[in-house]
Amino acid sequence: MNPRRGEMDEPHHVAYKLPSGDSPYVRAKHVQMVEKDPEMAIALFWEAINAGDRVDSALKDLAVVMKQQDRAEEAIEAVKTCRDRCSRHAQESLDNVLIDLYKKCGRLEEQIELLKQKLGMIYQGEAFRGKPTKTARSHGRKFRVTVKQETSRILGNLGWAYMQQTNYEAAEIVYRKAQLMEPDANKACNLALCFIKQRKYEEAQHVLLDVVRGNLPGCEHPRSRSRAEELLSDMEPRGGGGSEPFSLPSFGISLEDAFVEGLDKMMSHLASNRSKRLPIFEEISPLRDQLAC
């Protein structure tokens, strides 16, 4: 006797954690995960979006597969065009998808602008719905993220984007804020590199020694320690000299005073534990637009 269809499909359904049913989105996920046919999966994700079938998930999955197929520019346009069909709760994760796609395409100005908008949303309490933590998902695993952790992560991404523009002074400012909020060895190495690019060798040495000595979270990872040791070694021919003047690119630091002030206000609020509800989420109208400028 031949096994029933459900019994045949069950191993794939369980192994790949696929949704049940026979809708366009379910077929698209099966083609993506089981049949490993990305081009057909893209067509089926489009079919799901146009049919209104799990549009939130279909659009995000479409963008991911397009990026894997080196079609990131198309993915950006797809997200921008179709995000108005998605729920309000999906907008934050779509922003994360766009940031990743902008990074892939080297569209730094748009990446920076969106990162700054996300910081503004956190400040205004829109990203966490007024709560101090939220549930995030990565590689199928759920975990809790605090406001400080998310803010530090976004600041780290913003600092990296400024580094790609060789705007090391702006990157330094942002990485300093990130390290004060949620320090880690990887961001410390990036901050040290900003110092080195500006010939601030003493500051760089101080930060890198913290990593080598294991004084920061993440120092246990061999990659971070190895990177810090390599940067220290590269500095040795300079004799660990003091800071020297450094000429920045002609566009200056491109980090608005209001934005920096807004970060300072945010950090001040996050550091306060005087109220049960984080002060970051209170309405302070004169400051609402500073982080989005």
Side-chain angles (χ1 to χ4, degrees):
M1 180 183 297
N2 292 330
R4 291 176 297 174
R5 178 181 176 85
E7 292 172 347
M8 293 175 63
D9 292 345
E10 186 175 20
H12 285 152
H13 176 82
V14 173
Y16 294 96
K17 298 181 179 179
L18 299 176
S20 58
D22 191 36
S23 68
Y25 177 73
V26 173
R27 293 197 298 273
K29 289 298 292 183
H30 187 276
V31 169
Q32 176 197 6
M33 303 299 296
V34 180
E35 298 181 22
K36 309 293 186 183
D37 186 343
E39 293 300 331
M40 178 59 71
I42 288 172
L44 289 171
F45 281 130
W46 272 121
E47 182 181 334
I49 292 167
N50 292 327
D53 179 26
R54 306 192 195 193
V55 179
D56 292 0
S57 297
L59 182 55
K60 286 182 280 188
D61 288 336
L62 171 68
V64 168
V65 178
M66 280 185 163
K67 179 189 172 187
Q68 293 169 347
Q69 294 302 105
D70 292 324
R71 295 169 60 179
E73 292 285 357
E74 289 180 65
I76 290 171
E77 294 310 310
V79 173
K80 286 183 172 181
T81 301
C82 299
R83 67 181 305 167
D84 61 343
R85 306 187 198 182
C86 298
S87 69
R88 181 173 62 86
H89 298 315
Q91 298 305 314
E92 184 180 352
S93 59
L94 288 173
D95 283 341
N96 291 334
V97 170
L98 274 177
I99 288 168
D100 192 43
L101 292 169
Y102 287 147
K103 182 177 180 180
K104 171 77 171 177
C105 296
R107 292 167 64 164
L108 294 172
E109 290 295 341
E110 291 161 291
Q111 181 186 357
I112 288 169
E113 183 61 29
L114 192 48
L115 286 167
K116 289 165 73 173
Q117 287 179 22
K118 287 180 71 64
L119 288 170
M121 290 175 64
I122 291 176
Y123 183 80
Q124 296 169 32
E126 296 172 9
F128 280 64
R129 303 181 201 174
K131 299 178 181 179
T133 64
K134 71 173 182 177
T135 301
R137 183 188 297 271
S138 178
H139 304 292
R141 182 175 60 90
K142 288 185 178 180
F143 54 95
R144 302 296 295 179
V145 177
T146 68
V147 175
K148 286 186 177 181
Q149 289 170 334
E150 179 70 358
T151 304
S152 182
R153 183 188 70 81
I154 294 172
L155 287 171
N157 289 337
L158 182 59
W160 181 254
Y162 279 126
M163 288 179 71
Q164 304 316 297
Q165 291 184 325
T166 66
N167 193 348
Y168 299 112
E169 187 173 353
E172 176 197 331
I173 292 170
V174 173
Y175 275 124
R176 281 181 181 273
K177 303 294 185 186
Q179 287 296 84
L180 287 172
M181 189 164 291
E182 191 80 17
D184 69 55
N186 181 57
K187 290 196 293 289
C189 288
N190 288 339
L191 175 58
L193 184 56
C194 292
F195 286 140
I196 292 170
K197 292 294 185 178
Q198 298 173 83
R199 302 179 185 176
K200 299 179 179 180
Y201 300 126
E202 289 183 359
E203 292 94 328
Q205 185 179 54
H206 176 77
V207 171
L208 292 171
L209 287 175
D210 268 347
V211 178
V212 172
R213 292 167 179 166
N215 295 336
L216 296 171
C219 291
E220 68 278 5
H221 298 304
R223 183 175 178 181
S224 294
R225 186 181 295 269
S226 175
R227 186 182 177 204
E229 291 172 347
E230 182 180 344
L231 289 171
L232 280 170
S233 177
D234 289 345
M235 288 172 56
E236 285 179 3
R238 304 182 177 98
S243 301
E244 301 176 23
F246 180 74
S247 297
L248 289 167
S250 60
F251 51 76
I253 69 169
S254 299
L255 199 62
E256 300 89 339
D257 290 341
F259 176 66
V260 176
E261 183 183 351
L263 285 177
D264 290 337
K265 298 283 187 181
M266 175 189 287
M267 294 180 68
S268 175
H269 288 323
L270 282 170
S272 171
N273 293 315
R274 287 176 294 180
S275 66
K276 196 170 184 180
R277 187 170 186 261
L278 285 177
I280 189 175
F281 299 123
E282 295 173 0
E283 281 292 335
I284 307 177
S285 55
L287 303 175
R288 286 187 62 89
D289 298 327
Q290 287 184 349
L291 286 172
C293 65

